[in-house]
Amino acid sequence: MARDEACIIGGAQLYAAALPFADRVRLTEVALRPMGDAHFPGLDDTWRETARERVPRGPDDDAAFTVRILE
């Protein structure tokens, strides 16, 4: 992470408030469907994926996940 970057780590209201100021999103998609009602806001089609890395489930992990970079 570069010095001029900030991490917003939820919840839904923080994501929604910060997103208009963002020019990059590091989106982690976990292969689980936990119970709950907080979600990352939908991204419109102005965002373009510039990188993607799939990380398989490890022996001590609950699920695999994918990290997507959108700009």
Side-chain angles (χ1 to χ4, degrees):
M1 184 170 79
R3 283 192 139 150
D4 60 347
E5 291 184 349
C7 292
I8 308 299
I9 309 172
Q13 290 175 325
L14 288 174
Y15 294 143
L19 194 56
F21 303 99
D23 56 14
R24 178 181 298 150
V25 172
R26 293 177 191 260
L27 183 64
T28 303
E29 298 173 333
V30 181
L32 290 174
R33 293 208 177 261
M35 294 179 56
D37 60 358
H39 302 280
F40 190 83
L43 298 173
D44 63 29
D45 60 2
T46 61
W47 291 95
R48 297 286 178 239
E49 184 176 289
T50 59
R52 174 186 290 248
E53 179 183 0
R54 186 175 187 291
V55 180
R57 180 178 178 256
D60 296 324
D61 298 331
D62 291 330
F65 63 94
T66 301
V67 178
R68 298 173 57 208
I69 307 298
L70 301 119
E71 296 183 2

